[in-house]
Amino acid sequence: MALRRLLALGAALGRRSCCSKPSLPPDFVEALRAVVGAPNVSTAAAVREQHGHDESMHPCAPPDVVVWPQAVGQVQELAALCHRGRVPMVPFGTGTGLEGGVNAVQGGVCFDLSRMDAIAELSLEDFSVTVEPGVTRKALNKHLRGTGLWFPVDPGADASLCGMAATGASGTNAVRYGTMRPNVLNLRVVLPDGRLLHTAGPGRQPRKRSAGYDLTSLFVGSEGTLGFLTQATLRLHPLPEATAVTVASFPSVGAAVACTVQVLQAAVPVARIEFLDEVMADACGRFSGMGLPVAATLLLELHGSRHSLAEQQHQMEEIMRQNGGSGLAWAEGLEEREQLWSMRHNAWYAALALRPGCQVRHKDGDDGGSARGAAGATALPSLAQGYSTDVCVPISRLPDVVVETKQDLQASGLTGPMVGHVGDGNFHCILIFNSQDPEEARRIHAFTQRLGRRALAAGGTCTGEHGVGLGKRALLQEELGQEGLDTLRSIKAALDPYNLMNPGKVL
Amino acid sequence: MALRRLLALGAALGRRSCCSKPSLPPDFVEALRAVVGAPNVSTAAAVREQHGHDESMHPCAPPDVVVWPQAVGQVQELAALCHRGRVPMVPFGTGTGLEGGVNAVQGGVCFDLSRMDAIAELSLEDFSVTVEPGVTRKALNKHLRGTGLWFPVDPGADASLCGMAATGASGTNAVRYGTMRPNVLNLRVVLPDGRLLHTAGPGRQPRKRSAGYDLTSLFVGSEGTLGFLTQATLRLHPLPEATAVTVASFPSVGAAVACTVQVLQAAVPVARIEFLDEVMADACGRFSGMGLPVAATLLLELHGSRHSLAEQQHQMEEIMRQNGGSGLAWAEGLEEREQLWSMRHNAWYAALALRPGCQVRHKDGDDGGSARGAAGATALPSLAQGYSTDVCVPISRLPDVVVETKQDLQASGLTGPMVGHVGDGNFHCILIFNSQDPEEARRIHAFTQRLGRRALAAGGTCTGEHGVGLGKRALLQEELGQEGLDTLRSIKAALDPYNLMNPGKVL
């Protein structure tokens, strides 16, 4: 929290301009209680504080009140109340976002949707399932055990699936299974005035459609600014029969990327291909006790039948060799594989360990999303803190961008090991900083803005999977240009004319 | 044309309500000529007629004038002129649509974009290419020869790629490579007032992004109602090392579908899995001289390395056997494979041959899209004509929907063999009718509406790949419900407040 308070200083200008908080209408909290019952409404400072931030550096901005609706009808009634009273509404899932998406910068009502957690309509033949916003990806995959199906999108954190839809999340498996967008078939949305929209029509789940504008894709990635995602129908995938994982070291970033491009060109159906720069590889190797070489590193996972796996491994080894890579033996057993992935999943801790004096907070998720709630809190003073940035560039530009970014880190005196979903050209810097040093926080902010601009200059995007939230609004304008931003604004104004849904975000 | 004139009768009511054609402002055509030069503007009746319809049954509705811009700046200037004069604008690619998308029901200016046909910015490392609207999918794949990459989306017709983006096209390869939506990385759009929008920002092509609302997905499938797609950056795929094709017959539709579901559950990475009902299999078998059994049939294609192909074939054979399927030997050589696919691609002719007295028009494309222009015309009187419908349902419901549809065809006295992209639950009836019998045309219209409703009742969509155009507006309303349609209308009104872009379509 210390850092958040310090950063509040830097963000004060922004807050002044966007946070002329209107007070709630008289008897408004009473009206909320009448809808969901008194135990499902809270104005307690601790609860509001808990709901006023995510896992990013953005200063806490608590809502005026938190509500826990239990059913979609209640979400509709609550939204209608807010709409009539012109009160801002902020959807809240697990709070594991990384760009301040849940921070209630204009106050208002936080809708904590975690208690709506039904898993309905699992169809094994149609490879689909419908979940409410309280269902996390791990809970879904646990539910799917024994069915032969799984939901592969994995942003690291055990985020809610509707929250993942809201930010357009992806993660390590996206290179093979896609991001959230192609894996969402339908969304049940409560619009800002309380009306109920099914983006692909009520009860529908065709695998493809060309009937009207694609509302599903519009709401995926809308970051709570267009409505509440109160149900998602998701596309499931068959579990692979066999899986193999390896780690390979390369003489340079360029060689690791060239290897990746050749793997993709050879149509090896790689399931995960993760890049670690030499700082990250060293940190992970030391943290896990595996002792990886201090080199550009790829962590690769293959899925397939037992038979096809052998061929994929052979192809992969040949391509790695051609690019000067030298790898470990393939891990095929569950335990061995988990050991390698836990090395990657612990990148966050490994990065924190790079800074002496670090107090590690409970952290779940490889890209910076953490488990929230009681388990996530710590009473210890935290000196070092991590912040995970996210950009995505065309893969041909990745070596240059990574090298320039490393130079920038050095010139800025910052610690920021890199990990990335290299098959998609998407990478993160895990920035480790002293949470009691506002000057360093300012340097980090400036660095992330430069990194975003570097990605834009390379034909990429300022965010491949974390979203815009509060932190990348200026970059978004540069990315899309005036016409692009005007078009986004037109759509926002058309669907939320009073700017009540998660105001101050994205736009 | 005969049928179109007859159908004009049935459509008269619709046209009266939506076609209060305003006359063009004075000197308007002169102003268009000043932008693109006199040879690139035509008001000739034959030219207008040629641009007033696609390959569907919808009556020809010619624009007032046709223009051929040669550069995006001209499209912008022309759009600004139309915008100032409140003149409707209709984008035109190859005219191979199937739901009346190009018919100028309110007159105005048809923008024929076929002369903007540059292929730019091919990046083999990034698996991407940028094309102008005159580039067709076959032209692109010809351009890509020798690169090891291809663009797999194949709706049958040699449509323009921007046109395919506009309708959200897909086709036989979608089960493996996806529809247009995930394969478009960026679109350069001329907005109705002439401003230029890049849906993912100018010059950008990251493989994934979560920066703001997904404008690319919004414009894919917008059917020319939100702006002109004047350039598309597409995602390319590696060519498979080896390909194998087979045909298998099944005891029932249910068995063929069960086989498909098991293939998908077993994660066999099938590239194409096409269904033919027994009428279509019989027709294709006779037309091609291959003599297929009169049975529910699957036409399957596998892509992979030589090694992995053998395993896929083995898996596939086992699953086919388990479902009572009996297949031909695998065709692996190019000639053999092309023979099997030409059997499928000639489904249209084979269907037409089911009706005696048929005069076959030149037709290119398996689902009904035909090559247009001089080669597409015929001076022969056409007695029998085909019309390809399109619905998509969850695969578990496919057997019931197919069986009910067959009963409906029989009860309606209609000839409508079925083909479908069964891996996606998407299928077509190729309806063959006497083009000089308005009563039969009316029965066909009623049948297609019932088929759409049957798909909706099964949790599907009224169109998986052909779009809404003129023909499915009522079905779209039923599919999305009032809130869905209102949301589409809000977006349309926000981006095209004067309803100038392809008015009367979709909504």
Side-chain angles (χ1 to χ4, degrees), chain A residues 126 170 181 201 204-205 208-210 213-214 225 238 265 305 307 311 395-396 426 456 459 463 465 467 479, chain B residues 126 170 181 201 204-205 208-210 213-214 225 265 305 307 311 395-396 426 456 459 463 465 467 479:
Chain A
D126 295 319
S170 45
R181 200 161 271 118
R204 314 205 178 289
Q205 48 168 316
K208 64 183 198 185
R209 55 196 295 278
S210 60
Y213 313 146
D214 184 1
T225 64
Q265 281 171 341
S305 64
H307 188 73
E311 189 198 19
I395 195 167
S396 66
N426 185 201
L456 296 184
T463 173
E465 55 182 19
E479 177 164 338
Chain B
D126 294 319
S170 46
R181 200 161 273 120
R204 313 204 180 288
Q205 48 168 317
K208 64 182 198 185
R209 56 196 293 278
S210 59
Y213 312 147
D214 184 1
T225 63
Q265 280 170 341
S305 65
H307 189 74
E311 190 199 17
I395 196 168
S396 66
N426 185 202
L456 295 185
T463 173
E465 57 183 18
E479 179 164 337

Side-chain angles (χ1 to χ4, degrees), chain B residues 305-316:
Chain B
S305 65
R306 279 178 215 297
H307 189 74
S308 75
L309 215 56
E311 190 199 17
Q312 289 185 41
Q313 287 168 323
H314 179 74
Q315 284 180 287
M316 198 71 98

Side-chain angles (χ1 to χ4, degrees), chain B residues 138 246 256 279 350 438 456:
Chain B
K138 286 186 181 172
T246 193
V279 182
L456 295 185

Side-chain angles (χ1 to χ4, degrees), chain A residues 184-344:
Chain A
V184 178
L185 297 171
N186 203 347
L187 289 168
R188 184 183 68 186
V189 179
V190 172
L191 294 169
D193 58 5
R195 284 177 304 141
L196 198 63
L197 167 75
H198 294 84
T199 54
R204 314 205 178 289
Q205 48 168 316
R207 194 147 148 162
K208 64 183 198 185
R209 55 196 295 278
S210 60
Y213 313 146
D214 184 1
L215 294 178
T216 306
S217 286
L218 181 64
F219 279 87
V220 173
S222 62
E223 302 190 40
T225 64
L226 299 178
F228 296 94
L229 311 188
T230 65
Q231 199 181 63
T233 302
L234 304 171
R235 183 167 166 175
L236 302 174
H237 294 260
L239 270 172
E241 183 185 322
T243 301
V245 184
T246 193
V247 180
S249 306
F250 292 83
S252 67
V253 178
V257 170
C259 175
T260 306
V261 169
Q262 286 165 35
V263 163
L264 298 174
Q265 281 171 341
V268 181
V270 65
R272 293 168 156 179
I273 185 160
E274 295 287 296
F275 167 75
L276 294 81
D277 77 347
E278 84 283 3
V279 182
M280 191 81 257
D282 185 34
C284 286
R286 279 192 283 158
F287 191 83
S288 66
M290 289 181 62
L292 289 183
V294 184
T297 299
L298 292 180
L299 177 57
L300 293 141
E301 182 165 299
L302 302 172
H303 293 174
S305 64
R306 280 180 213 296
H307 188 73
S308 74
L309 214 56
E311 189 198 19
Q312 290 184 43
Q313 288 168 322
H314 180 73
Q315 284 180 286
M316 198 69 95
E317 284 161 13
E318 202 171 300
I319 297 170
M320 288 193 296
R321 237 190 328 267
Q322 281 165 5
N323 289 285
S326 54
L328 299 180
W330 291 91
E332 300 193 20
L334 182 64
E335 205 176 322
E336 279 179 294
R337 288 191 277 119
E338 281 185 348
Q339 202 183 346
L340 286 176
W341 278 110
S342 93
M343 185 264 295
R344 165 69 179 89

